[in-house]
Amino acid sequence: MRRVMIALLAGLLFGAGLVHSGMSDPARVRAFLDLLGGAWDPTLTFVMGGAIVPMAIAWRIRRRLDAPFADTSFTLPATTGITPSLIGGSVLFGIGWGIAGLCPGPAIADLAIAPVPAAIFVTAMLGGMILHRLLPALPAKQPPLETSHV
Amino acid sequence: MNWAGAMPLAGLTGGLLIGLAGAIMLLGLGRIAGVSGLVARATGIAPGGTPWPIASAFIIGLPVGAWLIALVAGSVTTRFPPSMTVLVLGGLIVGFGTRMGSGCTSGHGVCGLSRLSPRSIAATASFMVAGFATVALMRVLGVSW
């Protein structure tokens, strides 16, 4: 229960941060990606900069910990192994991101702000995820996990 | 450049909240705050990974946090694509691509870049370049919105 509450708190802060930073507005995100439009919006660079600072500190703290505060081990993806599916999938994601101005976090947060268009996007997104899982040639590859037990 | 419409301060403070959320997931639960992976787990699309209650709690938190901040702010601007085709096509490609590439802006972008993970640096560079190129191409083709 404690771990569920921690995850809920993290989700709340994440969703609040997305809206506060303007990243829940697809047109603003698209204005960042729009280099030819003459009205480039730099906000996303500030959001990334602001988000990376506490995360970089957290990674440094993590090095001194044997286990996270509320669980028995760290379960983290591998950092190496640049595969064709990593690059191909990321390129596809970037194409979809450019088309709609939405990535998964803002799309789900927007279910509370603009329920109808957000629900359409999220439904299609889940459809894309299911499609990926169903395709036998492209199994839902989880990156190998690096687990450190106490 | 559109500095008049930009939100540098709100961007920075909102970004700090996002980073704090990621730090809580990492140091509290030992996990990456990657939305595409957690959403796939919460919906059962991904068979394994983060325990279902944790993934679901995080995903439910996103719209609740958004709703709370909108309540405080009074009004929030969200300009969605006006076309159903754009929404559905974008959603399908984002869903497929994030599963194939094992992450999105949060997991690879925020969590991976700050970890200096070579995989995430490569992924982030790929989706950023693809995003810039897609929007530019849509502008050239006259299908921008």
Side-chain angles (χ1 to χ4, degrees), chain A residues 2-62:
Chain A
R2 181 157 155 252
R3 286 185 289 158
V4 171
M5 294 314 288
I6 290 171
L8 181 65
L9 173 70
L12 283 171
L13 290 172
F14 203 111
L18 284 171
V19 173
H20 183 69
S21 64
M23 295 299 100
S24 58
D25 179 5
R28 181 178 293 281
V29 173
R30 238 175 142 271
F32 165 79
L33 294 173
D34 191 359
L35 298 174
L36 305 181
W40 183 67
D41 185 323
T43 307
L44 192 143
T45 53
F46 289 91
V47 182
M48 282 300 277
I52 280 176
V53 171
M55 267 319 288
I57 296 169
W59 283 115
R60 292 189 75 87
I61 297 172
R62 178 248 181 268

Side-chain angles (χ1 to χ4, degrees), chain B residues 12-35:
Chain B
L12 209 56
T13 49
L16 284 170
L17 284 176
I18 294 168
L20 182 64
I24 290 172
M25 285 297 277
L26 176 64
L27 298 178
L29 304 175
R31 302 211 172 248
I32 296 287
V35 177

Side-chain angles (χ1 to χ4, degrees), chain B residues 12 23 27 32 35-36 48-49 55 75-76 83 94 101 107 110-111 131-132 140 145:
Chain B
L12 209 56
L27 298 178
I32 296 287
V35 177
S36 59
S75 76
V76 173
S83 138
V94 165
V110 175
C111 300
F132 284 124
V140 169
W145 56 273

